[in-house]
Amino acid sequence: MGQIFAGLTFTAVFLAVGVAMMRRGKAPRVAAIIMFIAGCGLVGSWFQGFATKIASVLPGALVGFIAFFCAVGFVLDCWGKKNHAGKGTAIIGFFVPLLLVVMPVSVLGVNPDDLIKGVKDVTQQSEMLTTGSRN
């Protein structure tokens, strides 16, 4: 059971702070950014695997549009002095990092987990070269 929730303590702390700030209604832009940081903790967890499976079934254009729309909406709501950040922005901000990581699965057909595994394999198989002086 511990493996399922491994690494999610980071998310839990920021999620608790973000929800508390949303409920109080003070500093909505800060609450939205904290929720975005909490969403970054979902990347690499079993939530990402679950979301990847769902995104691979849906049409690529739909997932790409949702990810782009949510990311642009989040940035524009938090931008500038007259921002429109609120509870909706904070909730969307929680899912934006996960959507941005899962989007390549549907749009490009590239699974980020396979890509990361491939990079790790290449770096582990590379040899270390040392320079030495010839005497």
Side-chain angles (χ1 to χ4, degrees):
M1 188 69 169
Q3 291 291 350
I4 292 175
F5 297 109
L8 293 179
T9 53
F10 170 83
T11 300
V13 170
F14 280 94
L15 186 62
V17 172
V19 168
M21 290 182 76
M22 275 183 1
R23 291 188 75 197
R24 289 191 182 127
K26 295 187 178 189
R29 183 189 312 181
V30 175
I33 292 171
I34 288 175
M35 292 292 280
F36 178 82
I37 294 170
C40 291
L42 292 178
V43 175
S45 69
W46 65 275
F47 284 109
Q48 179 186 345
F50 181 69
T52 302
K53 290 192 187 312
I54 292 172
S56 65
V57 176
L58 296 173
L62 177 67
V63 176
F65 175 76
I66 291 171
F68 181 76
F69 183 74
C70 289
V72 169
F74 177 78
V75 169
L76 292 178
D77 279 352
C78 291
W79 192 277
K81 290 183 180 181
K82 295 183 179 182
N83 63 65
H84 302 286
K87 291 180 183 178
T89 305
I91 292 170
I92 289 172
F94 181 68
F95 294 105
V96 165
L98 192 61
L99 285 171
L100 292 177
V101 171
V102 170
M103 184 181 62
V105 173
S106 291
V107 175
L108 303 174
V110 176
N111 189 345
D113 295 333
D114 295 338
L115 185 64
I116 291 169
K117 183 181 174 192
V119 170
K120 283 183 181 178
D121 290 343
V122 168
T123 56
Q124 289 175 353
Q125 292 173 1
S126 66
E127 295 181 24
M128 293 292 290
L129 298 176
T130 57
T131 59
S133 63
R134 288 195 227 177
N135 292 331

